Amino acid sequence: MAKKSTKKNKTLKATLWEAAAMMRGSLETAEYKHVVLGLVFLKYVSDSFENRRNAIEASLSDPESKDYIPNEDRRTRILESRDEYTRENVFWIPAEGRWDVLQAKAKQPEIGVLIDKAMDLIEKENRSLRGVLPKTYGRAEIDKRLLGELVDLIGSIGFTEVDHGADDVLGRVYEYFLGQFAAAEGTNQGEFYTPRHVVQLLVEMLEPYEGRVFDPCCGSGGMFVQSAEFVAAHNGRRSDISIYGQESMATTWRLAKMNLALRGLEGNLADSWSDSFHDDKFPDLRADFVLANPPFNDSDWGGERLRADPRWKHGVPPTGNANFAWVQHFLHHLAPSGTAGFVLANGSMTSNQSGEGEIRKNIIEADLVDCMVALPGQLFYTTGIPVCLWFLARNKKNGRFRDRSGETLFIDARKLGTMIDRTHRTLTHEDIALIAGTYHAWRGEPEAGVYEDIPGFCKSATLNDIREHGHVLTPGRYVGAEDLEDDDEPFDDKMKRLTARLAEQQTEAARLDQLMAASLKELGYGE
């Protein structure tokens, strides 16, 4: 059955992507994603509403049901009672905002205006969606004939559990769109999207079972979604974690709000979008877990206006690169026993420019670096820059795990991953389990087994080891070379064999040189 469901989802995703392509002729890529994603969201909430409505109606109409009501007018009033839906965490959809009403008018030239009105009504009826939904379908730039066709196509797909069982089809479609749009937009436009497998690795490493989870550059909210899935997968309740996020781009902040709403997640993403450096919406928050993928090597972060900021406890970050501003922002918001996991460009592990080396050294000497992971290339849709994962721990002897004071784990995962097309690589479940399992064993988690250094893959280093490497954090420097399989050939015999082969190759090279010189001479170019 699982196989059949996967095939169905692929067809659904491919169909939706073709639908998005319909709009490309009339809109920029950066715009049409909001057109499609907004409609997908509207269809989802409308489907959820209809499913709830059908369930209520069935219960009220069944003479065998304890909720049976013989009077039809009274049944109708109950069906239109807002509380019957909101108490089951279903968004209340006013009549004019329901999908079947809109689809019936899909061919009308005013379909854009009607969708905008539907979005507006839904926002007014549901506090958590206020200021979130796109209301731009009535613009002249949007071809209304294509918009109507898009409404028809999306209307042919059911998104809820009734249509697809327990699988989170809409969530996966939504994520698929984000990834496809990021790929289509190239390296400069899709900053909000972090591949699911990278997010999954961060979450599996940190294991946020309960507590406050914070992402101050939350993009579309992928860290929160994955954290909630992690909790659910370990038989926890979604309410075991509290979500806090901030995002600087208005459209991306709205995407994050919709993404959480789609999954039924409560989260505090502040009352609007804003810049974490210049308008920190959670100045007093101390999170148990910080998960983030900040913009790489951001050179335009306004650092010149924050030279005396109290967050820079380990050194003032350079104005031309925000990497260590983000690192210190994460540390600033970390609880006394909190841990942080985040993505940075590889340069952060070695750079000595503009004081970055000194900041990194101070963070290392404060014994905050718990683990470093070098990732393989081609993991991101939005950049080809090699990246790594940093894991920081406020207190390495907090009692949850073994005392790791003065130690840092280095993992070189550059050889892992599987190519999924010509230019993109993914981390498999086995890759993620290997990396996270190594970290958990090193931390001394009871179920993770016994940790051992593996040449070429992982190494537990001391603070002195890192000092000897000039406070450079590149895992390759510490894990060494991979052990080669012993071929049982004695060293002296191997050297004699290899020396003889080298002599043969040198003789052959000399012969070819003479042959080439003779050929050139015949052509009149040699001596």
Side-chain angles (χ1 to χ4, degrees):
M1 290 300 288
K3 210 168 190 178
K4 187 177 178 182
S5 175
T6 301
K7 186 177 179 182
K8 187 175 183 179
N9 287 348
K10 283 181 180 175
T11 303
L12 179 147
K13 291 172 183 175
T15 303
L16 284 170
W17 183 240
E18 288 173 12
M22 288 165 48
M23 303 300 294
R24 289 185 203 181
S26 57
L27 289 173
E28 294 291 332
T29 305
E31 290 191 67
Y32 72 69
K33 71 170 179 285
H34 297 294
V35 172
V36 178
L37 290 174
L39 289 177
V40 169
F41 180 86
L42 185 58
K43 180 63 166 58
Y44 172 80
V45 295
S46 188
D47 280 5
S48 297
F49 175 85
E50 288 301 327
N51 285 343
R52 175 63 184 154
R53 183 183 176 89
N54 292 339
I56 297 170
E57 189 168 24
S59 177
L60 297 178
S61 306
D62 182 3
E64 303 297 321
S65 169
K66 64 180 178 56
D67 298 320
Y68 174 63
I69 295 178
N71 185 286
E72 187 172 344
D73 289 341
R74 195 173 163 212
R75 287 206 302 267
T76 301
R77 285 198 299 275
I78 293 175
L79 279 174
E80 292 298 321
S81 170
R82 190 175 185 281
D83 291 345
E84 294 292 330
Y85 299 84
T86 55
R87 68 184 172 89
E88 294 294 325
N89 293 320
V90 174
F91 291 113
W92 167 252
I93 310 298
E96 291 177 79
R98 295 170 194 171
W99 189 268
D100 56 343
V101 173
L102 292 171
Q103 190 170 357
K105 300 174 181 176
K107 298 296 189 294
Q108 297 181 10
E110 63 270 24
I111 181 63
V113 174
L114 295 173
I115 293 172
D116 287 343
K117 186 177 180 182
M119 295 287 193
D120 188 50
L121 289 170
I122 292 170
E123 277 193 355
K124 286 177 178 171
E125 292 289 347
N126 299 278
R127 181 187 294 269
S128 65
L129 295 177
R130 287 179 188 171
V132 171
L133 303 183
K135 295 179 280 291
T136 56
Y137 294 89
R139 287 184 303 154
E141 296 93 322
I142 296 179
D143 185 316
K144 301 304 180 295
R145 181 185 61 80
L146 293 177
L147 180 60
E149 291 180 13
L150 193 57
V151 170
D152 278 340
L153 192 143
I154 292 176
S156 68
I157 302 169
F159 286 112
T160 65
E161 290 187 5
V162 171
D163 303 290
H164 295 279
D167 192 16
D168 179 16
V169 175
L170 190 277
R172 296 198 182 283
V173 169
Y174 196 80
E175 184 179 67
Y176 171 81
F177 265 120
L178 293 178
Q180 291 289 352
F181 283 129
E185 289 175 358
T187 57
N188 296 320
Q189 300 299 317
E191 293 177 354
F192 57 85
Y193 182 70
T194 308
R196 179 184 175 85
H197 50 96
V198 174
V199 178
Q200 190 175 2
L201 175 57
L202 283 166
V203 170
E204 290 290 335
M205 294 280 279
L206 288 191
E207 300 179 302
Y209 288 107
E210 59 180 353
R212 295 178 294 275
V213 178
F214 181 44
D215 182 351
C217 40
C218 69
S220 59
M223 299 292 180
F224 306 135
V225 172
Q226 194 62 49
S227 294
E229 289 184 6
F230 175 87
V231 171
H234 291 81
N235 300 317
R237 297 167 302 174
R238 288 183 169 183
S239 58
D240 290 342
I241 58 171
S242 301
I243 291 170
Y244 297 86
Q246 188 164 345
E247 170 55 42
S248 62
M249 297 174 65
T251 52
T252 309
W253 177 81
R254 292 191 179 98
L255 278 179
K257 296 275 284 186
M258 284 192 283
N259 206 2
L260 294 189
L262 292 179
R263 322 288 179 121
L265 297 176
E266 295 283 342
N268 184 347
L269 303 189
D271 55 358
S272 68
W273 57 95
S274 63
D275 185 295
S276 285
F277 291 135
H278 299 276
D279 183 18
D280 188 348
K281 293 289 188 182
F282 305 97
D284 299 321
L285 175 65
R286 296 297 178 266
D288 299 292
F289 304 95
V290 172
L291 288 156
N293 175 25
F296 300 147
N297 302 323
D298 187 1
S299 60
D300 188 25
W301 64 285
E304 66 280 359
R305 289 179 275 137
L306 297 170
R307 307 318 289 159
D309 196 284
R311 287 171 289 187
W312 317 146
K313 288 187 171 55
H314 302 282
V316 180
T319 57
N321 192 314
N323 285 348
F324 283 94
W326 281 115
V327 174
Q328 295 188 82
H329 184 74
F330 302 151
L331 283 169
H332 176 76
H333 282 288
L334 212 50
S337 60
T339 50
F342 49 89
V343 187
L344 280 184
N346 275 1
S348 62
M349 299 189 290
T350 59
S351 172
N352 286 315
Q353 294 181 345
S354 307
E356 289 186 323
E358 193 64 21
I359 299 173
R360 185 176 60 250
K361 174 184 173 183
N362 293 338
I363 292 171
I364 293 168
E365 291 295 335
D367 202 16
L368 293 167
V369 183
D370 206 32
C371 177
M372 297 294 301
V373 179
L375 293 177
Q378 299 174 287
L379 293 177
F380 283 73
Y381 286 101
T382 52
T383 179
I385 297 175
V387 300
C388 59
L389 303 183
W390 288 61
F391 294 91
L392 305 181
R394 268 283 185 206
N395 182 1
K396 294 184 181 179
K397 50 182 177 183
N398 63 12
R400 289 179 60 203
F401 312 112
R402 75 175 181 86
D403 183 354
R404 310 175 309 283
S405 300
E407 298 177 25
T408 297
L409 176 65
F410 290 91
I411 298 177
D412 189 346
R414 288 177 297 171
K415 293 181 180 177
L416 301 183
T418 301
M419 296 300 291
I420 53 174
D421 58 36
R422 190 173 56 83
T423 55
H424 297 115
R425 185 187 303 271
T426 188
L427 294 173
T428 65
H429 292 300
E430 290 75 18
D431 294 331
I432 293 170
L434 174 62
I435 299 168
T438 301
Y439 180 49
H440 298 161
W442 177 80
R443 289 202 300 193
E445 296 183 38
E447 306 294 327
V450 179
Y451 171 81
E452 288 184 5
D453 288 344
I454 301 175
F457 179 65
C458 62
K459 168 73 177 178
S460 180
T462 66
L463 197 50
N464 280 334
D465 293 333
I466 300 174
R467 287 173 183 144
E468 289 175 3
H469 284 280
H471 295 92
V472 165
L473 292 175
T474 308
R477 289 201 176 200
Y478 298 89
V479 303
E482 187 176 358
D483 281 343
L484 296 176
E485 191 174 340
D486 190 355
D487 55 9
D488 294 330
E489 184 178 15
F491 179 77
D492 285 343
D493 292 350
K494 181 178 287 185
M495 285 303 297
K496 288 176 183 175
R497 179 175 58 78
L498 293 175
T499 303
R501 183 188 297 174
L502 177 62
E504 290 172 5
Q505 291 174 338
Q506 288 173 330
T507 301
E508 177 65 8
R511 187 186 70 79
L512 292 173
D513 284 345
Q514 289 178 351
L515 191 63
M516 186 177 298
S519 298
L520 288 170
K521 189 175 181 179
E522 287 179 9
L523 295 171
Y525 294 101
E527 294 181 354

